[in-house]
Amino acid sequence: MKKMKSWILGLGLLVSNVAFGQTIQDGLHFLDRHQPSRAKQVFESLVATAPTGENYYFLGYYYLNLRDWDNAKAAFEKGKAAEPKNYLNQVGLASILVGQNKVSAAKAEFDRIIKETKEKNPDVLHRIAEAYEMFYVLGKEESFNASNNDPGEAIRLIDLIQEKTKKVPNAAQYIVKGDAFLIKNDGGNAVTAYEQALLQDPKNVKAKVKIGIVYLRGKNYKETQARYKEAIDLDSNYAPAHRRYGEYLIVGNQYKNAARYFRKYLEKAEATPEVTLETAKLLFLSKDYEGAMKFTDEADKKGVKDNDIYRMRGYANVEMGNFQQGIENLDGMVKKGVKPYFMDDLYFGKGYQGLGKDSIALLYLERAAPLDTNNNVYSIIHDVRYKQKRYADAAKAAIGSIDWKKKKNQTVGSGDYFKVAMDYYLTSAYMDRADTLGRPAMAMRADSMFAKAIEINDKWPPFYINRARANNFIDYTGTKWLGAPYYEKFLASVEQQKAEKSTQYKEDKNQLFEALKFLGGYHLSVTKDEAKVKELFTKAQEIKPDDPDIKAYFNPVPAAPAVAPKK
């Protein structure tokens, strides 16, 4: 019996030692590495062993990060009851309000807590500052982030720590400050704060990843890649680094490599239903549609409660060419009453377009276009309208595409203007020749767009020949020879392409003939330069020997002899 008591006592001490061996930092370590179950186990163990106000706060903090407001509130209230003088749980309760987009209501509570702690509690100041920035999600729509942050106040409170305690903020506090500057889109100060965190803790992998995020937003891809690689080299098990590196690779259109890093992310993070679905979404972005479907199905089997299950199946099926199945998935989502999202319209449109139902597709695409900040839907609308030979509507869509690119600070290329120019040109071509006002006016629109394309790229022959044709429509009487200078530039640009041994431009003999014959006619009628006429018509005849106009020039029919009048 004595031995049994000793064994039980020893086992109790062993369990106690395991519990005491775990710390709040261990729990935060797991939480930061996207391993929530391990984090929860630590925090629950700490509360079970020592139900202090601080331990309850971090259990609530765990739920706060998961946006599980009810469990967070329950933990904070227990912590407040267990230790009323510990203000952290009051901070936690107010933090829930920030996460629920009630930052103004939260601020009143935070201000009271700061006043009662006389601005001298660094933990309180730290966690309030963090609450002001932790719920903001970069890239999310404005409505999501509308009232869930106050970066200016977060920065002020971190600075207040040093002012009141005369101690330099620790690495975690500097990261909060950096995140606040990132919300303000102040990349320079954000990097400075993260670098300060690294001075406090040189092995802080989170700070390195954060610096990479700043550089990616600033399109400094070389520094982005360097920072993410440094982070992975420092801690290859840090899941967020693999995810962020995959996102960087997507920006560079390295989709296959990106998918590899997203799969690594799932290996390193805990494969919860939510993380599995998140990985499916990332694989979708990296164009690994089969992988996206696989992980969506896995998340579904794990019991994920997320309406994006319908979306992922709908979107991925459409991208894989299973248009009818994709539409059925999206229809199922609508019938369930899921809140609509602009990309739903995009994929309904792409699905119906794939089924050849262009008119239905356009209803969805035109609804999606003004709202979609990720995809240039106007370019898809343009292609559908062009296929329908509705060239005026295609031109509107092409202009919408250019405006979309400008808003996104993307480069507008010569091809973008050429699309609009061709739409206007073809609109003009199909108008009644008798319309001597509307037809030339439309051709003039085409001419101005050809000019913009040439301004960007003055070496591409198709720009010149089509501009010449548009000018022929402007010159509806056929007496001004407006196309002549552009036909000349067309021939010169063709010679330049040959000299540069271009593999992109394919010579079109019919276009060459058109230019040579037109210019021959121009010199015959306007300049009266017989040598030039002969040179141009000779080259034209080599392409089309049987052209009647040129044959007539080289072989004029003799005038019939005069007949003497009868007496």
Side-chain angles (χ1 to χ4, degrees):
M1 189 70 180
K2 194 173 182 181
K3 284 184 178 180
M4 179 64 74
K5 283 182 178 178
S6 298
W7 180 80
I8 292 171
L9 180 61
L11 182 63
L13 287 170
L14 177 64
V15 172
S16 178
N17 285 337
V18 170
F20 279 115
Q22 294 175 318
T23 65
I24 288 168
Q25 284 306 315
D26 291 331
L28 294 174
H29 175 92
F30 291 133
L31 193 59
D32 186 41
R33 278 155 177 74
H34 297 188
Q35 296 173 335
S37 292
R38 296 180 74 180
K40 183 183 181 185
Q41 187 179 15
V42 171
F43 293 131
E44 285 184 336
S45 177
L46 289 168
V47 165
T49 306
T52 63
E54 184 180 35
N55 285 342
Y56 269 119
Y57 168 76
F58 281 102
L59 178 60
Y61 179 83
Y62 156 79
Y63 286 117
L64 206 59
N65 277 268
L66 270 59
R67 306 179 75 85
D68 184 345
W69 314 128
D70 292 339
N71 278 317
K73 185 179 180 183
F76 292 139
E77 285 179 340
K78 285 178 183 177
K80 184 180 175 184
E83 204 174 333
K85 291 183 179 180
N86 187 324
Y87 279 88
L88 280 177
N89 288 287
Q90 294 183 48
V91 171
L93 289 167
S95 299
I96 293 171
L97 296 173
V98 183
Q100 294 174 332
N101 289 64
K102 300 172 184 174
V103 72
S104 298
K107 191 173 188 308
E109 278 297 292
F110 287 147
D111 288 348
R112 175 187 63 78
I113 294 166
I114 292 168
K115 185 177 180 181
E116 289 182 15
T117 55
K118 299 178 181 178
E119 300 181 334
K120 289 182 179 179
N121 187 321
D123 292 332
V124 165
L125 294 173
H126 172 193
R127 296 306 170 183
I128 292 175
E130 184 180 29
Y132 277 127
E133 56 81 13
M134 68 185 290
F135 301 106
Y136 185 95
V137 179
L138 294 173
K140 273 279 192 179
E141 60 272 18
E142 286 183 21
S143 58
F144 181 88
N145 291 319
S147 299
N148 68 3
N149 65 93
D150 187 342
E153 185 66 358
I155 293 162
R156 185 186 75 82
L157 292 174
I158 296 297
D159 289 341
L160 195 62
I161 292 172
Q162 187 166 2
E163 181 187 327
K164 295 295 182 180
T165 67
K166 308 302 179 187
K167 291 181 182 178
V168 176
N170 61 33
Q173 291 161 355
Y174 270 124
I175 287 173
V176 168
K177 187 175 180 180
D179 290 350
F181 276 120
L182 197 54
I183 293 171
K184 290 166 72 72
N185 203 23
D186 186 345
N189 278 317
V191 169
T192 299
Y194 296 138
E195 286 176 342
Q196 290 285 351
L198 285 168
L199 286 174
Q200 298 296 316
D201 177 11
K203 292 186 177 181
N204 195 305
V205 65
K206 185 175 185 177
K208 285 187 178 291
V209 171
K210 294 280 188 180
I211 293 171
I213 293 169
V214 177
Y215 282 125
L216 184 60
R217 289 190 79 190
K219 298 182 180 179
N220 187 337
Y221 302 122
K222 185 178 178 181
E223 285 294 331
T224 302
Q225 184 180 34
R227 299 300 178 155
Y228 288 157
K229 282 194 169 183
E230 282 175 13
I232 292 168
D233 288 343
L234 184 63
D235 184 352
S236 62
N237 290 316
Y238 188 68
H242 293 283
R243 172 177 173 165
R244 292 296 185 182
Y245 195 62
E247 290 171 352
Y248 152 74
L249 291 167
I250 283 179
V251 173
N253 298 326
Q254 298 180 53
Y255 298 114
K256 192 172 181 180
N257 206 13
R260 190 163 62 87
Y261 275 91
F262 290 142
R263 288 170 185 267
K264 277 189 180 181
Y265 164 69
L266 190 61
E267 287 172 17
K268 307 296 180 183
E270 183 187 337
T272 62
E274 293 75 21
V275 168
T276 304
L277 183 60
E278 189 65 24
T279 305
K281 294 175 186 178
L282 294 168
L283 288 170
F284 177 82
L285 291 174
S286 63
K287 301 186 184 295
D288 181 354
Y289 303 121
E290 289 182 5
M293 283 293 289
K294 178 190 169 191
F295 286 111
T296 297
D297 290 341
E298 282 188 19
D300 195 13
K301 286 174 187 174
K302 289 176 181 178
V304 71
K305 294 178 181 178
D306 195 317
N307 292 321
D308 282 344
I309 286 282
Y310 296 102
R311 285 198 171 93
M312 289 305 302
R313 285 180 173 149
Y315 294 3
N317 271 310
V318 167
E319 291 292 357
M320 289 192 292
N322 306 323
F323 301 115
Q324 187 60 49
Q325 195 173 342
I327 288 171
E328 286 170 7
N329 287 131
L330 293 171
D331 275 333
M333 179 187 70
V334 172
K335 287 172 185 173
K336 287 278 185 181
V338 176
K339 186 179 177 181
Y341 182 55
F342 65 85
M343 279 186 68
D344 300 341
D345 287 327
L346 169 63
Y347 276 94
F348 266 121
K350 289 174 85 168
Y352 281 115
Q353 187 186 5
L355 293 174
K357 298 179 179 180
D358 289 346
S359 296
I360 300 174
L362 284 167
L363 293 173
Y364 287 102
L365 294 171
E366 287 176 346
R367 200 159 62 194
L371 302 173
D372 198 331
T373 57
N374 300 317
N375 306 282
N376 191 345
V377 183
Y378 291 103
S379 65
I380 303 173
I381 295 171
H382 171 271
D383 293 346
V384 177
R385 291 298 194 195
Y386 192 89
K387 179 185 163 189
Q388 293 176 325
K389 296 186 178 180
R390 294 175 61 174
Y391 299 117
D393 290 331
K396 287 179 187 175
I399 289 171
S401 174
I402 289 171
D403 291 340
W404 186 92
K405 281 190 167 186
K406 287 178 178 177
K407 285 177 185 174
K408 293 285 287 182
N409 293 321
Q410 292 184 5
T411 301
V412 178
S414 57
D416 294 304
Y417 289 114
F418 183 59
K419 266 187 182 180
V420 185
M422 287 303 296
D423 293 332
Y424 283 142
Y425 166 70
L426 290 167
T427 303
S428 177
Y430 281 93
M431 291 174 77
D432 192 337
R433 286 174 180 270
D435 186 352
T436 56
L437 289 176
R439 196 169 192 246
M442 187 61 69
M444 287 174 74
R445 287 189 186 184
D447 179 70
S448 67
M449 287 296 169
F450 283 128
K452 287 187 176 183
I454 291 166
E455 191 177 326
I456 297 170
N457 179 3
D458 61 0
K459 293 182 178 181
W460 193 238
F463 294 168
Y464 292 110
I465 192 163
N466 285 293
R467 190 175 187 186
R469 292 165 177 169
N471 274 272
N472 291 343
F473 288 155
I474 297 170
D475 178 21
Y476 62 91
T477 61
T479 58
K480 296 179 181 177
W481 300 89
L482 297 179
Y486 305 111
Y487 280 121
E488 286 175 348
K489 286 179 180 177
F490 166 71
L491 293 175
S493 64
V494 169
E495 289 305 313
Q496 187 175 0
Q497 293 289 321
K498 285 181 184 177
E500 294 176 0
K501 296 181 181 178
S502 171
T503 56
Q504 289 184 310
Y505 177 69
K506 304 297 179 186
E507 189 175 86
D508 186 323
K509 295 292 184 184
N510 288 324
Q511 290 181 352
L512 285 173
F513 175 80
E514 177 187 333
L516 292 165
K517 183 178 177 181
F518 184 95
L519 289 170
Y522 166 71
H523 287 292
L524 184 66
S525 302
V526 179
T527 68
K528 312 295 184 183
D529 185 340
E530 283 294 331
K532 193 68 177 173
V533 175
K534 189 173 182 180
E535 176 195 342
L536 291 162
F537 279 169
T538 299
K539 288 180 181 178
Q541 195 172 46
E542 288 170 3
I543 299 171
K544 290 189 179 182
D546 296 326
D547 183 79
D549 297 325
I550 294 177
K551 281 175 78 174
Y553 170 78
F554 284 114
N555 302 292
V557 177
V563 179
K566 291 181 181 180
K567 289 184 181 179

